[in-house]
Amino acid sequence: MTAVPADPTAPVAANEILLGLNTFGDAGVDADGNPKEHARVLRELLQEAKLADAVGLHAFGVGEHHRRDFAVSAPEVFLAAAAAVTSRIRLGSAVTVLSSDDPIRVFQRFATVDALSNGRAEVMLGRGSFVESFPLFGLDLADYEVLFEEKLELFDKVRSQKPVHWEGRTRPNVNGLQVYPKLQHHLLPAWIGVGGTPESVLRCAEYGYPIIFAIIGGEPRRFAPLVKLYRDAMAKYGHPMRQIATHSPGFIADTDEAAREELFPHWLEQRNRIGSERGWGPGNRGEFDAMCGPEGALYVGSPETVARKIALLKRNLGVDRFDLKYSNGTLPHQSMMRCIELYGSEVAPRVAELLADAS
């Protein structure tokens, strides 16, 4: 298993990769086809986090949403509960929608999770690919860019754990105040999630934060120029190099055929539901199979197939961490539990073997 560095955001060795899990708490259906209650989804999600810890995975992240099809709207509350039933795994968001939150409260909540988990908390900051939180909290989408820019600036000042001096137009000024609680031994690990624009990459590098790319379509190797841009910009700004990660959907079963056949209807339902909101055409089996191929963005198949695809990702992009988004719409809880088990017990050691052999 890959050794976790003392600095949790320091790059790992060239022949290693950290493996994590992401979920949005997808609110699927029960055995009778009825929508699951969010309360049940959250309780099942806690079982999934506990299993991820037991099989030795590096990180477990839950994404913030404010809509019927995802159950997690308050990641830090869930993570605090997960801290009580886990002992090793890192606990974070994937992502926290900073634009529609208060940066001081975000820091305070994650600092609390860090204390309860004995230093295992991390936050991934982003603007989010859904915008329901803006009208919910009385924010204007016309301020989409400035909200994130100003709030990221304030969060960075708070994260330093020094008295905060900040002025802006999106919230009241802060004049030399200290924010509590403080972390015991380190600064709060803070990532920025990006969807693939150079502007977002450069913003992340300006702050010196580790970066995670959401690769949910196309070919992961096409992100190589953005990875290089991040490395070059970090050097330009004089920051020590931080981890580079990717996040992609996937599903693991005993065989390639079993994984594809089980996931496809759930993937298609979610693909078409979200696609109808965004003006996409309907998905189909050909699109799905292409994305499951060696160069596609879906990590679907047997443990051997998924391990080889992760090893290829490491060779192509040189990333330090890969997070599998293992929940997919109406995929059943027991199927996700089996996926997590295989990911930790079979995929992780096989990835380590493949990377060792290639070094």
Side-chain angles (χ1 to χ4, degrees):
M1 184 179 297
T2 298
V4 180
D7 176 352
T9 65
V12 301
N15 63 345
E16 296 179 336
I17 190 168
L18 301 167
L19 300 182
L21 289 167
N22 291 165
T23 177
F24 303 156
D26 301 51
V29 296
D30 61 22
D32 298 322
N34 300 312
K36 281 187 181 179
E37 295 182 349
H38 286 159
R40 177 179 171 184
V41 175
L42 289 167
R43 290 191 292 268
E44 291 177 346
L45 189 56
L46 200 60
Q47 297 174 26
E48 293 160 16
K50 188 175 181 180
L51 177 59
D53 184 61
V55 298
L57 292 167
H58 174 68
F60 192 88
V62 291
E64 174 194 350
H65 293 84
H66 302 271
R67 45 187 289 144
R68 173 65 186 87
D69 41 355
F70 302 121
V72 179
S73 61
E76 308 91 339
V77 178
F78 172 82
L79 296 172
V85 298
T86 59
S87 60
R88 297 173 296 175
I89 199 164
R90 299 199 61 76
L91 300 168
S93 56
V95 297
T96 291
V97 185
L98 185 65
S99 305
S100 57
D101 210 330
D102 185 279
I104 295 175
R105 295 296 286 148
V106 169
F107 174 84
Q108 290 176 322
R109 295 193 298 260
F110 275 93
T112 301
V113 174
D114 195 74
L116 296 173
S117 64
N118 195 27
R120 292 185 284 129
E122 60 184 30
V123 60
M124 289 185 181
L125 305 171
R127 291 176 291 184
S129 61
F130 296 90
V131 296
E132 287 82 2
S133 62
F134 286 80
L136 184 64
F137 299 120
L139 299 170
D140 190 340
L141 274 172
D143 295 328
Y144 186 81
E145 293 292 340
V146 70
L147 280 167
F148 187 72
E149 291 171 0
E150 286 201 357
K151 291 186 176 187
L152 180 58
E153 179 185 49
L154 175 55
F155 177 87
D156 188 62
K157 291 181 180 294
V158 174
R159 179 177 173 266
S160 73
Q161 304 192 134
K162 300 174 182 178
V164 177
H165 299 268
W166 180 87
E167 294 183 1
R169 71 175 183 85
T170 55
R171 58 153 308 192
N173 298 340
V174 184
N175 300 310
L177 301 178
Q178 183 69 60
V179 177
Y180 302 100
K182 289 190 173 185
L183 278 70
Q184 280 185 295
H185 306 299
H186 54 266
L187 296 182
L188 177 66
W191 297 67
I192 294 181
V194 304
T197 66
E199 294 79 11
S200 295
V201 173
L202 292 173
R203 180 188 294 118
C204 182
E206 180 181 357
Y207 283 93
Y209 287 6
I211 193 167
I212 181 164
F213 294 97
I215 304 178
I216 59 175
E219 298 178 345
R221 62 184 175 86
R222 293 185 178 177
F223 278 70
L226 293 176
V227 170
K228 183 179 185 303
L229 177 64
Y230 174 75
R231 293 185 186 277
D232 292 345
M234 287 288 281
K236 174 186 174 183
Y237 285 114
H239 296 306
M241 194 60 201
R242 297 298 178 191
Q243 285 179 18
I244 301 171
T246 63
H247 149 113
S248 292
F251 179 66
I252 306 158
D254 292 320
T255 67
D256 289 349
E257 182 180 9
R260 291 193 185 196
E261 292 304 314
E262 181 167 7
L263 179 62
F264 175 66
H266 306 288
W267 173 88
L268 185 65
E269 187 278 334
Q270 185 178 63
R271 159 71 173 75
N272 286 343
R273 173 165 36 84
I274 294 174
S276 66
E277 299 174 6
R278 300 183 175 185
W280 303 342
N284 54 61
R285 185 58 188 256
E287 176 190 356
F288 174 77
D289 286 338
M291 292 178 67
C292 292
E295 295 286 350
L298 288 180
Y299 288 71
V300 177
S302 67
E304 178 68 20
T305 293
V306 173
R308 289 189 175 279
K309 197 162 182 174
I310 294 171
L312 179 64
L313 174 75
K314 176 70 177 186
R315 290 194 291 272
N316 285 344
L317 298 184
V319 298
D320 303 284
R321 172 169 156 180
F322 169 74
D323 283 0
L324 180 75
K325 199 274 187 178
Y326 68 93
S327 59
N328 287 272
T330 51
L331 192 66
H333 168 61
Q334 289 305 319
S335 297
M336 292 189 285
M337 291 287 279
R338 177 60 175 160
C339 173
I340 293 169
E341 181 184 2
L342 291 172
Y343 189 46
S345 64
E346 297 191 26
V347 173
R350 182 59 179 141
V351 170
E353 289 175 359
L354 290 167
L355 295 179
D357 290 345
S359 62

